[in-house]
Amino acid sequence: MTISPFDDSLSSEVDNPELIPALDLNALARFAAVVELGGFSPAARALGVPRQSLHRSIAQLEQVTGVRLLDRGARQVRPTDAGRRLFGHAATILREARDAHASLRAARGRPRGRLRLTAPHLFAEQFLIPLIEEFLTTWPEVQIDADFTVAHSDLIRDDYDLAIRLGDRPTHGRYVVMLGSVATVCCVAPAYLAAAPPLADPQALSRHSVLAYGPHRVRHTWRFERAGETVEVDLAPRLRADSARLVLAACRAGLGVARLPEFLCAGDVGAGSLVPVWVDWQIPRTPIWVLYSSRSDKNPTLHAFLDRLKAHLLARM
């Protein structure tokens, strides 16, 4: 990473009380999205704003702080050392703003009634189950009807209040909000490595047994990035399943190369039963989206649940 010669001045300038009124909260939010998603284009899509508007916001922040915040490569944007520190401040400010918004919502209406939601199995197991238990305990007048599946249900037709999706930004749903992102890793069992052809680079995947986690009838294209270079490999998986734990078990058994959420396979990697491959290549993080319809927008139970979900993810990711 290239470090700006101006980076060392950020901490003293940001701590200057005279600068605080000049920092635009909207600009901070946009800066945080660019850093989190790794570029202006994905951040513009996530926020629903023109790319040029993001460039202007970041330029204004850099002018106000007097330091360069981003290293802008041909294909990837990375925060400078100063940018990383400002990102930490921005995350704190935005969290406080969300908490303030949540307190206003709580004053507007008490959560009660039934909330219908759908989410992928793995995400639900990792993040939603403890949250749902806590939410039901806090709000005894709430009932939750939850379906855990990778199938993409229609909110209106299937009568859901909210749906959680991982991957590309959903194209339907009146309101679509990004909650965060999940790190992904490619891994294999040592026994597979010993018997299979060399895994010199991602292009070699076409000569290997691939184990894919995802829904039915979805094109399996794995993307890798390194120093401005991007490689996309179209695959015909030997195993495709909507159960990440089945794919993990097959990978442990030495049946092929799997791409899985880092939180799921971290224990196996730490124990040595799985080995990460191509650590010098980055796999784009998988965005987490929540979508809901205009019908649900005024539902205080939905918004209380979303506020708790955002706080829960922030603490655990």
Side-chain angles (χ1 to χ4, degrees), residues 25-90:
L25 290 180
N26 286 330
L28 283 176
R30 292 177 173 189
F31 168 73
V34 171
V35 172
E36 188 172 52
L37 293 176
F40 287 93
S41 294
R45 289 192 296 270
L47 297 174
V49 299
R51 191 168 179 269
Q52 294 80 1
S53 179
L54 287 184
H55 279 283
R56 286 195 297 269
S57 293
I58 305 307
Q60 182 182 42
L61 272 180
E62 290 180 326
Q63 182 178 8
V64 168
T65 58
V67 293
R68 187 189 310 152
L69 301 174
L70 297 173
D71 280 329
R72 299 161 173 83
R75 291 184 176 273
Q76 192 168 28
V77 174
R78 295 175 181 272
T80 61
D81 184 56
R84 286 194 299 272
R85 293 202 297 275
L86 184 60
F87 178 70
H89 291 295

Side-chain angles (χ1 to χ4, degrees), residues 188-237:
V188 295
Y192 181 86
L193 274 182
L199 282 164
D201 55 55
Q203 302 270 19
L205 273 171
S206 59
R207 301 187 297 276
H208 284 263
S209 173
V210 171
L211 315 173
Y213 163 55
H216 181 47
R217 293 179 181 171
V218 168
R219 179 184 176 189
H220 292 281
T221 300
W222 291 2
R223 179 172 176 167
F224 303 84
E225 298 173 349
R226 182 181 66 180
E229 179 183 1
T230 299
V231 170
E232 291 186 345
V233 187
D234 290 326
L235 302 167

Side-chain angles (χ1 to χ4, degrees), residues 111-133:
R112 56 167 56 87
R114 185 171 300 278
L115 182 70
R116 294 206 68 224
L117 64 93
T118 179
H121 310 87
L122 186 64
F123 180 87
E125 291 174 10
Q126 186 72 18
F127 301 108
L128 283 188
I129 290 176
L131 172 62
I132 289 174
E133 293 174 359

